[in-house]
Amino acid sequence: METKTFKNKKEFFISPSSPFHFDGTFHKPSHYPNKLSDWKSDRYWQTIRISKRIFGVKIENKGETQKPKIKVSVFYDKNISEDELEKIKQEIIWRFDLNADLKEFNNLAKSDKRFYPIFKKWLGMRNSSAHNLYELLIIAVLLQNATVRRTVQMTNVLLDNYGTKLKFDGKEIFAIWLPEKLNDVSEKELRDLKIGYRAKFIKRLSQDFAEGKIDEPKLRTLDQESAKKEMMKLYGVGPETARILLFEVCHQYNTFDHIAPWQQKIYSRLFYEKPLVSANKIRDNIKKQYGEYSMLAVHYIWEDIFWRRKHEKIDWLEKEIRL
DNA sequence: CATCAGGGCCCTG
DNA sequence: CAGGGCCCTGAT
Protein backbone atom coordinates (compact mmCIF):
# COMPACT_ATOMS: atom_id res chain seq x y z
CA MET A 1 0.00 0.00 0.00
CA GLU A 2 1.08 3.45 -0.86
CA THR A 3 0.89 6.26 1.72
CA LYS A 4 0.92 9.97 0.96
CA THR A 5 0.66 13.06 3.11
CA PHE A 6 -0.80 16.24 1.65
CA LYS A 7 -0.34 19.54 3.48
CA ASN A 8 -1.07 22.20 0.85
CA LYS A 9 -4.63 23.41 0.67
CA LYS A 10 -6.83 25.51 -1.58
CA GLU A 11 -10.48 26.35 -1.03
CA PHE A 12 -13.53 27.26 -3.06
CA PHE A 13 -17.28 27.42 -2.59
CA ILE A 14 -20.20 25.79 -4.36
CA SER A 15 -23.83 26.85 -4.19
CA PRO A 16 -25.98 23.75 -4.68
CA SER A 17 -29.49 24.16 -6.04
CA SER A 18 -32.09 24.90 -3.38
CA PRO A 19 -33.38 23.25 -1.25
CA PHE A 20 -30.38 21.22 -0.16
CA HIS A 21 -29.74 18.68 2.60
CA PHE A 22 -26.03 18.40 3.44
CA ASP A 23 -25.89 15.36 5.71
CA GLY A 24 -28.42 13.36 3.71
CA THR A 25 -26.36 13.96 0.59
CA PHE A 26 -22.88 13.33 1.96
CA HIS A 27 -23.63 10.42 4.26
CA LYS A 28 -25.58 7.29 3.37
CA PRO A 29 -26.11 5.14 6.47
CA SER A 30 -27.29 2.18 4.39
CA HIS A 31 -23.81 1.80 2.89
CA TYR A 32 -21.37 -0.63 4.42
CA PRO A 33 -18.64 0.89 6.60
CA ASN A 34 -15.42 1.61 4.70
CA LYS A 35 -12.21 3.62 4.82
CA LEU A 36 -12.97 5.55 1.64
CA SER A 37 -14.64 8.50 3.31
CA ASP A 38 -15.43 9.98 6.68
CA TRP A 39 -18.35 12.02 7.86
CA LYS A 40 -19.40 14.09 10.84
CA SER A 41 -22.47 16.31 10.86
CA ASP A 42 -21.83 19.19 8.42
CA ARG A 43 -18.35 17.87 7.48
CA TYR A 44 -17.19 15.25 5.03
CA TRP A 45 -13.85 13.91 3.77
CA GLN A 46 -12.87 11.75 0.82
CA THR A 47 -10.15 11.27 -1.76
CA ILE A 48 -10.73 12.01 -5.41
CA ARG A 49 -8.86 11.12 -8.58
CA ILE A 50 -8.87 13.67 -11.38
CA SER A 51 -7.03 12.70 -14.55
CA LYS A 52 -5.10 10.03 -12.65
CA ARG A 53 -3.92 12.51 -10.01
CA ILE A 54 -5.08 12.06 -6.45
CA PHE A 55 -6.35 14.74 -4.05
CA GLY A 56 -7.81 14.94 -0.57
CA VAL A 57 -11.12 16.73 -0.27
CA LYS A 58 -12.91 18.17 2.74
CA ILE A 59 -16.44 19.47 2.27
CA GLU A 60 -18.21 21.60 4.86
CA ASN A 61 -21.72 22.89 5.17
CA LYS A 62 -21.75 26.68 5.19
CA GLY A 63 -25.35 27.33 4.26
CA GLU A 64 -28.95 26.47 5.04
CA THR A 65 -31.59 24.31 3.42
CA GLN A 66 -33.05 27.20 1.44
CA LYS A 67 -29.72 29.05 1.04
CA PRO A 68 -27.27 26.25 0.33
CA LYS A 69 -23.53 26.78 0.30
CA ILE A 70 -20.66 24.38 0.78
CA LYS A 71 -16.96 24.99 1.25
CA VAL A 72 -14.55 22.62 -0.48
CA SER A 73 -10.94 22.36 0.69
CA VAL A 74 -8.62 20.54 -1.70
CA PHE A 75 -5.43 19.00 -0.29
CA TYR A 76 -2.49 18.33 -2.61
CA ASP A 77 1.28 18.09 -2.78
CA LYS A 78 3.54 20.47 -4.69
CA ASN A 79 1.12 22.53 -6.75
CA ILE A 80 -2.32 22.57 -8.27
CA SER A 81 -3.57 24.40 -11.36
CA GLU A 82 -6.72 26.44 -11.76
CA ASP A 83 -7.80 23.92 -14.35
CA GLU A 84 -7.48 21.05 -11.90
CA LEU A 85 -9.42 22.96 -9.25
CA GLU A 86 -12.19 23.61 -11.74
CA LYS A 87 -12.30 19.95 -12.73
CA ILE A 88 -12.55 18.91 -9.09
CA LYS A 89 -15.37 21.38 -8.61
CA GLN A 90 -17.32 20.10 -11.60
CA GLU A 91 -16.73 16.50 -10.58
CA ILE A 92 -18.04 17.11 -7.05
CA ILE A 93 -21.08 18.87 -8.50
CA TRP A 94 -21.78 15.84 -10.65
CA ARG A 95 -21.08 13.09 -8.13
CA PHE A 96 -23.28 14.65 -5.47
CA ASP A 97 -25.88 15.89 -7.96
CA LEU A 98 -25.55 19.41 -6.60
CA ASN A 99 -27.31 21.04 -9.55
CA ALA A 100 -30.31 18.71 -9.39
CA ASP A 101 -33.72 20.18 -10.12
CA LEU A 102 -35.98 18.42 -7.65
CA LYS A 103 -39.02 20.71 -7.93
CA GLU A 104 -41.19 18.11 -9.57
CA PHE A 105 -40.09 15.43 -7.16
CA ASN A 106 -40.75 17.63 -4.15
CA ASN A 107 -44.25 18.39 -5.44
CA LEU A 108 -44.86 14.69 -5.80
CA ALA A 109 -43.66 14.19 -2.24
CA LYS A 110 -46.09 16.79 -0.93
CA SER A 111 -49.06 14.85 -2.24
CA ASP A 112 -47.86 11.67 -0.52
CA LYS A 113 -49.81 11.66 2.72
CA ARG A 114 -48.13 8.63 4.16
CA PHE A 115 -44.46 9.39 3.58
CA TYR A 116 -44.52 13.17 3.45
CA PRO A 117 -42.92 13.46 6.92
CA ILE A 118 -39.92 11.53 5.63
CA PHE A 119 -39.61 13.54 2.42
CA LYS A 120 -39.90 16.72 4.44
CA LYS A 121 -37.25 15.62 6.90
CA TRP A 122 -34.77 14.95 4.09
CA LEU A 123 -35.88 17.75 1.79
CA GLY A 124 -33.05 18.54 -0.62
CA MET A 125 -31.22 15.24 -0.21
CA ARG A 126 -29.48 13.96 -3.37
CA ASN A 127 -28.69 10.46 -4.52
CA SER A 128 -24.95 10.61 -4.75
CA SER A 129 -21.80 8.62 -5.33
CA ALA A 130 -18.47 9.55 -3.81
CA HIS A 131 -16.86 7.47 -6.53
CA ASN A 132 -16.38 7.36 -10.25
CA LEU A 133 -17.71 4.55 -12.42
CA TYR A 134 -14.72 2.21 -12.05
CA GLU A 135 -14.54 2.65 -8.30
CA LEU A 136 -18.24 2.10 -7.73
CA LEU A 137 -18.13 -0.88 -10.05
CA ILE A 138 -15.46 -2.46 -7.84
CA ILE A 139 -17.60 -1.83 -4.78
CA ALA A 140 -20.68 -3.24 -6.48
CA VAL A 141 -18.81 -6.41 -7.44
CA LEU A 142 -17.66 -6.81 -3.85
CA LEU A 143 -21.29 -6.59 -2.76
CA GLN A 144 -22.37 -9.47 -4.95
CA ASN A 145 -23.28 -12.66 -3.18
CA ALA A 146 -21.69 -11.64 0.07
CA THR A 147 -22.60 -10.63 3.58
CA VAL A 148 -21.64 -7.19 4.87
CA ARG A 149 -18.78 -8.60 6.91
CA ARG A 150 -17.35 -10.37 3.91
CA THR A 151 -17.69 -7.30 1.70
CA VAL A 152 -15.87 -5.21 4.30
CA GLN A 153 -13.13 -7.82 4.52
CA MET A 154 -12.67 -7.99 0.75
CA THR A 155 -12.65 -4.19 0.41
CA ASN A 156 -10.00 -3.82 3.09
CA VAL A 157 -7.71 -6.51 1.79
CA LEU A 158 -7.82 -5.00 -1.70
CA LEU A 159 -7.23 -1.48 -0.39
CA ASP A 160 -4.35 -2.68 1.76
CA ASN A 161 -2.71 -4.28 -1.27
CA TYR A 162 -3.48 -1.88 -4.10
CA GLY A 163 -5.05 1.24 -2.63
CA THR A 164 -3.52 4.53 -1.51
CA LYS A 165 -3.70 5.86 2.02
CA LEU A 166 -3.94 9.63 1.99
CA LYS A 167 -3.19 11.68 5.08
CA PHE A 168 -4.69 15.17 5.07
CA ASP A 169 -6.54 17.45 7.45
CA GLY A 170 -5.71 15.09 10.31
CA LYS A 171 -7.49 12.21 8.57
CA GLU A 172 -6.39 8.98 6.92
CA ILE A 173 -8.64 8.26 3.98
CA PHE A 174 -8.13 5.57 1.37
CA ALA A 175 -8.45 5.75 -2.39
CA ILE A 176 -9.22 2.87 -4.70
CA TRP A 177 -6.38 2.08 -7.11
CA LEU A 178 -6.33 3.08 -10.75
CA PRO A 179 -7.42 0.26 -13.08
CA GLU A 180 -3.94 -0.01 -14.66
CA LYS A 181 -2.51 -0.77 -11.23
CA LEU A 182 -3.80 -4.31 -11.67
CA ASN A 183 -2.18 -4.75 -15.11
CA ASP A 184 0.59 -6.89 -13.69
CA VAL A 185 -1.52 -8.56 -11.03
CA SER A 186 -2.71 -12.02 -11.98
CA GLU A 187 -6.16 -13.40 -11.34
CA LYS A 188 -4.59 -15.92 -9.00
CA GLU A 189 -2.96 -13.22 -6.88
CA LEU A 190 -6.36 -11.57 -6.52
CA ARG A 191 -7.97 -14.89 -5.78
CA ASP A 192 -5.46 -15.54 -3.02
CA LEU A 193 -6.85 -12.50 -1.22
CA LYS A 194 -10.05 -14.51 -0.72
CA ILE A 195 -12.25 -12.52 -3.00
CA GLY A 196 -13.39 -15.68 -4.78
CA TYR A 197 -14.80 -15.69 -8.27
CA ARG A 198 -14.90 -11.89 -8.17
CA ALA A 199 -11.16 -11.98 -8.96
CA LYS A 200 -12.05 -12.77 -12.54
CA PHE A 201 -14.52 -9.89 -12.77
CA ILE A 202 -12.14 -7.37 -11.21
CA LYS A 203 -9.23 -8.46 -13.37
CA ARG A 204 -11.20 -8.21 -16.58
CA LEU A 205 -12.99 -4.97 -15.67
CA SER A 206 -9.70 -3.32 -14.70
CA GLN A 207 -8.21 -4.37 -18.01
CA ASP A 208 -11.14 -2.92 -19.94
CA PHE A 209 -10.96 0.38 -18.06
CA ALA A 210 -7.15 0.56 -18.34
CA GLU A 211 -7.45 0.12 -22.07
CA GLY A 212 -9.91 2.99 -22.20
CA LYS A 213 -12.77 0.87 -23.48
CA ILE A 214 -15.29 2.58 -21.25
CA ASP A 215 -16.33 6.17 -21.81
CA GLU A 216 -17.75 7.33 -18.49
CA PRO A 217 -18.47 10.94 -19.54
CA LYS A 218 -20.56 9.61 -22.42
CA LEU A 219 -22.40 7.12 -20.23
CA ARG A 220 -23.43 9.99 -17.99
CA THR A 221 -25.19 11.71 -20.87
CA LEU A 222 -27.11 8.71 -22.22
CA ASP A 223 -30.79 8.11 -21.62
CA GLN A 224 -31.60 5.40 -19.13
CA GLU A 225 -32.21 2.57 -21.55
CA SER A 226 -29.05 3.12 -23.58
CA ALA A 227 -26.97 3.63 -20.45
CA LYS A 228 -28.30 0.39 -19.00
CA LYS A 229 -27.53 -1.47 -22.19
CA GLU A 230 -23.95 -0.20 -22.11
CA MET A 231 -23.52 -1.03 -18.41
CA MET A 232 -24.77 -4.58 -18.92
CA LYS A 233 -22.03 -5.11 -21.47
CA LEU A 234 -19.46 -4.77 -18.69
CA TYR A 235 -18.20 -8.12 -17.46
CA GLY A 236 -19.79 -8.98 -14.14
CA VAL A 237 -22.57 -6.43 -14.47
CA GLY A 238 -26.11 -7.79 -14.37
CA PRO A 239 -29.44 -6.17 -13.54
CA GLU A 240 -28.68 -5.37 -9.89
CA THR A 241 -25.20 -3.93 -10.45
CA ALA A 242 -26.48 -1.94 -13.42
CA ARG A 243 -29.23 -0.49 -11.24
CA ILE A 244 -26.68 0.63 -8.64
CA LEU A 245 -24.45 2.21 -11.28
CA LEU A 246 -27.30 3.92 -13.12
CA PHE A 247 -28.76 5.39 -9.96
CA GLU A 248 -25.59 6.43 -8.21
CA VAL A 249 -23.17 7.26 -11.01
CA CYS A 250 -25.59 8.44 -13.71
CA HIS A 251 -28.27 9.91 -11.42
CA GLN A 252 -31.06 8.10 -13.20
CA TYR A 253 -33.96 8.61 -10.79
CA ASN A 254 -36.24 5.94 -12.23
CA THR A 255 -34.29 2.71 -11.90
CA PHE A 256 -36.65 0.79 -9.65
CA ASP A 257 -36.83 -2.27 -11.85
CA HIS A 258 -34.71 -4.97 -10.31
CA ILE A 259 -35.58 -5.94 -6.74
CA ALA A 260 -33.28 -8.42 -4.97
CA PRO A 261 -34.89 -10.87 -2.52
CA TRP A 262 -33.39 -9.24 0.58
CA GLN A 263 -34.52 -5.81 -0.63
CA GLN A 264 -37.97 -7.22 -1.31
CA LYS A 265 -38.29 -8.22 2.34
CA ILE A 266 -37.31 -4.77 3.54
CA TYR A 267 -39.62 -3.04 1.05
CA SER A 268 -42.47 -5.30 2.14
CA ARG A 269 -42.06 -4.10 5.72
CA LEU A 270 -41.57 -0.47 4.78
CA PHE A 271 -44.44 -0.14 2.36
CA TYR A 272 -46.93 -2.80 3.46
CA GLU A 273 -45.90 -3.74 7.00
CA LYS A 274 -45.95 -7.33 5.87
CA PRO A 275 -43.16 -9.91 5.82
CA LEU A 276 -43.34 -10.60 2.10
CA VAL A 277 -45.15 -8.94 -0.82
CA SER A 278 -44.44 -9.98 -4.39
CA ALA A 279 -41.69 -8.03 -6.14
CA ASN A 280 -43.97 -7.27 -9.08
CA LYS A 281 -46.59 -5.73 -6.86
CA ILE A 282 -44.00 -3.60 -5.07
CA ARG A 283 -42.54 -2.40 -8.34
CA ASP A 284 -45.89 -1.64 -9.93
CA ASN A 285 -47.16 0.30 -6.95
CA ILE A 286 -43.99 2.34 -6.55
CA LYS A 287 -43.79 3.13 -10.26
CA LYS A 288 -47.43 4.14 -10.29
CA GLN A 289 -47.00 6.45 -7.35
CA TYR A 290 -43.61 8.02 -8.07
CA GLY A 291 -43.31 7.67 -11.83
CA GLU A 292 -40.02 9.06 -13.14
CA TYR A 293 -38.72 9.36 -9.58
CA SER A 294 -39.33 5.79 -8.43
CA MET A 295 -35.82 4.97 -7.26
CA LEU A 296 -35.22 8.40 -5.79
CA ALA A 297 -38.39 8.21 -3.71
CA VAL A 298 -37.48 4.75 -2.46
CA HIS A 299 -33.98 6.03 -1.69
CA TYR A 300 -35.40 8.65 0.71
CA ILE A 301 -37.47 6.08 2.57
CA TRP A 302 -34.67 3.52 2.52
CA GLU A 303 -31.99 5.84 3.90
CA ASP A 304 -34.41 7.20 6.48
CA ILE A 305 -34.86 3.80 8.08
CA PHE A 306 -31.09 3.32 8.18
CA TRP A 307 -30.68 6.72 9.83
CA ARG A 308 -33.20 5.63 12.45
CA ARG A 309 -31.26 2.42 12.91
CA LYS A 310 -28.28 4.44 14.14
CA HIS A 311 -29.92 5.11 17.50
CA GLU A 312 -32.99 2.91 17.57
CA LYS A 313 -33.28 -0.85 17.52
CA ILE A 314 -35.49 -2.03 14.68
CA ASP A 315 -35.82 -5.76 15.16
CA TRP A 316 -37.27 -6.73 11.78
CA LEU A 317 -34.56 -4.73 9.99
CA GLU A 318 -31.70 -6.29 11.93
CA LYS A 319 -32.99 -9.64 10.82
CA GLU A 320 -32.97 -8.73 7.14
CA ILE A 321 -29.51 -7.15 7.05
CA ARG A 322 -26.99 -9.88 6.76
CA LEU A 323 -24.04 -8.70 8.76
C1' DC B 1 -20.37 -32.56 11.78
C1' DA B 2 -22.81 -31.59 7.04
C1' DT B 3 -25.66 -28.91 4.17
C1' DC B 4 -27.33 -24.88 2.05
C1' DA B 5 -28.66 -20.34 0.46
C1' DG B 6 -27.02 -16.05 -0.25
C1' DG B 7 -26.19 -7.90 -0.62
C1' DG B 8 -25.55 -11.97 -8.65
C1' DC B 9 -23.63 -13.15 -12.70
C1' DC B 10 -21.75 -16.09 -16.35
C1' DC B 11 -22.18 -19.86 -19.14
C1' DT B 12 -24.22 -23.87 -21.03
C1' DG B 13 -27.78 -26.68 -22.93
C1' DC C 1 -34.96 -19.16 -20.49
C1' DA C 2 -33.84 -22.58 -16.81
C1' DG C 3 -30.36 -24.20 -13.97
C1' DG C 4 -25.64 -25.27 -12.34
C1' DG C 5 -21.33 -23.34 -10.63
C1' DC C 6 -18.71 -20.05 -8.24
C1' DC C 7 -15.60 -18.24 -3.23
C1' DC C 8 -16.85 -18.01 1.24
C1' DT C 9 -19.62 -17.43 5.53
C1' DG C 10 -23.17 -17.90 8.73
C1' DA C 11 -27.46 -20.17 9.77
C1' DT C 12 -29.66 -24.51 10.63
Side-chain angles (χ1 to χ4, degrees), chain A residues 127 243-249 251-252 255 295-296 299:
Chain A
N127 69 313
R243 185 195 61 79
I244 294 173
L245 297 175
L246 287 173
F247 184 60
E248 299 199 5
V249 174
H251 305 299
Q252 296 281 354
T255 53
M295 194 66 239
L296 187 61
H299 178 66

Side-chain angles (χ1 to χ4, degrees), chain A residues 259-284:
Chain A
I259 302 175
W262 70 282
Q263 295 160 345
Q264 181 189 355
K265 290 177 198 161
I266 296 180
Y267 293 146
S268 300
R269 288 282 182 180
L270 283 175
F271 299 125
Y272 306 92
E273 290 166 24
K274 286 181 187 166
L276 200 61
V277 176
S278 89
N280 281 334
K281 185 176 174 183
I282 297 174
R283 177 173 36 243
D284 290 350

Side-chain angles (χ1 to χ4, degrees), chain A residues 35 47 52 65 89 104 106 150 163 214 245 265 305:
Chain A
K35 305 189 277 190
T47 59
K52 311 210 184 231
T65 309
K89 184 176 182 178
E104 223 176 281
N106 289 331
R150 181 149 154 66
I214 293 97
L245 297 175
K265 290 177 198 161
I305 193 84

Side-chain angles (χ1 to χ4, degrees), chain A residues 210-256:
Chain A
E211 287 169 12
K213 285 185 184 166
I214 293 97
D215 187 351
E216 180 176 359
K218 191 185 163 197
L219 282 172
R220 289 179 180 182
T221 67
L222 294 179
D223 62 278
Q224 185 178 160
E225 211 175 314
S226 324
K228 183 171 182 182
K229 220 170 121 190
E230 289 302 311
M231 297 285 189
M232 299 272 283
K233 283 186 196 164
L234 297 171
Y235 193 68
V237 174
E240 173 62 5
T241 304
R243 185 195 61 79
I244 294 173
L245 297 175
L246 287 173
F247 184 60
E248 299 199 5
V249 174
C250 299
H251 305 299
Q252 296 281 354
Y253 302 144
N254 182 17
T255 53
F256 195 70

Side-chain angles (χ1 to χ4, degrees), chain A residues 173-237:
Chain A
I173 313 281
F174 280 72
I176 289 180
W177 55 93
L178 287 168
E180 48 264 44
K181 176 107 176 178
L182 300 188
N183 279 352
D184 302 321
V185 179
S186 68
E187 188 184 319
K188 175 162 190 324
E189 282 176 79
L190 290 173
R191 208 166 256 274
D192 288 344
L193 299 176
K194 294 181 187 287
I195 65 170
Y197 66 91
R198 299 166 195 84
K200 192 174 170 186
F201 292 179
I202 289 178
K203 179 66 188 162
R204 186 148 152 196
L205 285 168
S206 300
Q207 224 159 28
D208 289 346
F209 273 81
E211 287 169 12
K213 285 185 184 166
I214 293 97
D215 187 351
E216 180 176 359
K218 191 185 163 197
L219 282 172
R220 289 179 180 182
T221 67
L222 294 179
D223 62 278
Q224 185 178 160
E225 211 175 314
S226 324
K228 183 171 182 182
K229 220 170 121 190
E230 289 302 311
M231 297 285 189
M232 299 272 283
K233 283 186 196 164
L234 297 171
Y235 193 68
V237 174

Side-chain angles (χ1 to χ4, degrees), chain A residues 1 73 93 131 135 145 151 161 165 173 197 219 232 291 306 315:
Chain A
M1 178 188 54
S73 308
I93 290 173
H131 311 289
E135 293 161 350
N145 240 0
T151 299
N161 277 275
K165 179 161 56 172
I173 313 281
Y197 66 91
L219 282 172
M232 299 272 283
F306 280 90
D315 284 329

